[in-house]
Amino acid sequence: MIRRIAIPSNCRRHAKAIEHMPADMPLQKYNSIELSEMPLRFAPDVVFIADLNGRIIFANDNAQRVLGYRLQELQNMTVLDISPGDRLKTYWLRLAQNVTDGQRHLVEIDLITKARQKLPMELNIVKMPNGQLYGACRDITERKQAQQRIHELAFYDLLTKLPNRRLLLDRLRHASAASAHSKKHGAVLFLNLDHFKAFTSNTGDLLLHKIARRLTASIQEGDTVACLGGDVFVVVMESLNVDLKEAAQQAKLFAEKVRSVVNCPHQLNEQTIHTTASIGIAMFIGHLETSETILKQAKAAMEQAKSAGRDTIRFYNHDIQDTLNRRNKLVQELRLAIENRQFQLHYQVQVDSQHQALGAEALLRWQHPERGLLAPGEYIALCEDTGLIVSLGLWVLEQACRQLRCWQAQTRFRDLILAVNVSAKQFHQSDFVAQIRRVLLESAANPAQIKLELTESSMLENIEDTIAKMRELKSLGIRFSMDDFGTGHSSLQYLKRLPLDQIKIDQSFVRDIASDPNDAVIVKAIISMSDALGLSVIAEGVETEEQLHFLNTNGCHVFQGYLFGKALPLDEFETALHQRAAENINPSYFDNPR
Ligand code: C2E
Ligand code: MG
Ligand code: MG
């Protein structure tokens, strides 16, 4: 007998219809006779019936059409073949592992067609009395699109497609939470275009589009760029340094990059547009301030940038702003100082156990027009950061070689070895060796009287490059001393590989050598290690007779320090050396040359 079932208008009714079938009805019959005749076959939904293992028993015409499989193909598949992933699996298992008959689930899934197309569906699954599971899917593409549209309208700026204020605040809240956990700073950059109103609306829109794209391309993964409508953009930077000043410097560098990205001419409809931006920066850490407050601070800083003449960057935090202003001023002054030759070399004597002068270390001094003579502590690090050290270091080398050449004509000075400090950035310049060759050639200095002082960290920065350069320079006769030894992380393994001549014990160990047993042990170890490696050893920062005695009795016989003389300008150094020879060694003389 053929059973007639009414055409169901929705899936619940499909299921009801099938519920009337006897549980023991054979599958074949199901498919070939009854179901093929059933109006269910023509139902507008994607309908399938599967056993408890998920094996598909029946799929209606619409399922075959939508999925692109023939019935026979589907009957060799499981429901997970047409909807992979956990969603369907979870509900399927729940129903299969016997929850009561007739229980039903409404769940959103993706169906995957034979052509690998993904279709969002709302699936109604029901467990029928005969144990099988019945599923009816309805296409919800349109609904999804509408949802997506609502989401876009709610969270994105319509013109630029960037996150809007609402999403930005949400991201900022997450960034604050992450910062509370990692203890790292973050920064908010508030950017407003200068004179944007001068553009026509069409050009303005195109410009905003371009800027949005450039900003998106400039940020790092994990950072957010948002558009708060019109010509206001905000960037949230995360995972900056733990130290506020360092973090601010990172934010400043990025803001400068953003500024140049915005300032770079824009090609719009065959027109070249120039624009600038005012940028305000607020730093944040953890939950100290709410997201709204941070945003307000960044905006206030942007307004300060506007009133400072536009095309400018300003920090909300005044201390940071002051520090950066000072730093910027110093960089400008340093550039001028190099141009205007405001630098000079001072010389600090290096002596042996008999207090005979063996040589000197050339130490840089800056004759600042307002602040007087400045020691390198105030500007060397900045010169390294800005790359100015490369030209400054070259000047030092030229000057030192010229001095050696001058001394060659004077008996008292002709054998002095001159130690020159070389910074990592300078040493790792690809043409460093060529520079030295050129300087030697031009000055006609004797390379055997030059000793380059490098720190441990700069030697280890790129060890293969270091070794190659050192070997090449050594073949010219130049010597090497490892400066500030003990403050870095040199392992014996590296030390053995470096073609060094000398190790210079850092003054921090020498200072307390007589009072701190640890320092005494370290210094002894450095001396015996240098012996073992066949290197000479010099102690820097020797200020007292006690220190001198300790070093002498423990095998270090070359010294530099205030006990023998401070770094002096050339003429004073020369006078002191003459007098030292004449008075036949007075160790404290160099402290008071007069
Ligand atoms: P450094 O190479 O370790 O130089 C030794 C520093 O210790 C010098 O400071 C020197 O004046 C100081 N000093 C010497 N004897 C004593 C002492 O008995 N007691 C104390 N307390 N200090 C002593 P300075 O001249 O201020 O130089 C500081 C650092 O700046 C140098 O450390 C060096 O790393 C760097 N520097 C100096 N000139 C140059 C240069 O031409 N190029 C580069 N790249 N760095 C330089
Ligand atoms: Mg040095
Ligand atoms: Mg040193």
Side-chain angles (χ1 to χ4, degrees), residues 361 421 453 455 482-485 504-507 540:
E361 176 173 10
N421 292 285
E453 287 196 6
T455 58
M482 189 183 262
D483 205 354
D484 305 341
F485 187 81
K504 200 169 186 185
I505 308 174
D506 187 62
Q507 50 182 288
E540 69 178 356

Side-chain angles (χ1 to χ4, degrees), residues 349-359 542 544-545 548-549 552 557-559 563-565 576-577 580-581 584-590:
V349 73
Q350 296 185 337
V351 302
D352 64 12
S353 297
Q354 277 73 49
H355 300 198
Q356 296 286 346
L358 300 172
V542 182
T544 67
E545 292 289 349
L548 178 65
H549 178 72
N552 248 326
H557 306 297
V558 186
F559 320 98
L563 182 62
F564 311 99
L577 230 61
R580 163 175 283 259
N584 204 11
I585 308 154
N586 172 1
S588 59
Y589 176 80
F590 277 76

Side-chain angles (χ1 to χ4, degrees), residues 116-130:
R116 309 310 297 163
Q117 196 193 350
K118 208 175 181 185
L119 302 174
M121 294 276 172
E122 186 180 69
L123 166 70
N124 213 331
I125 355 174
V126 184
K127 187 170 183 186
M128 298 184 299
N130 64 6

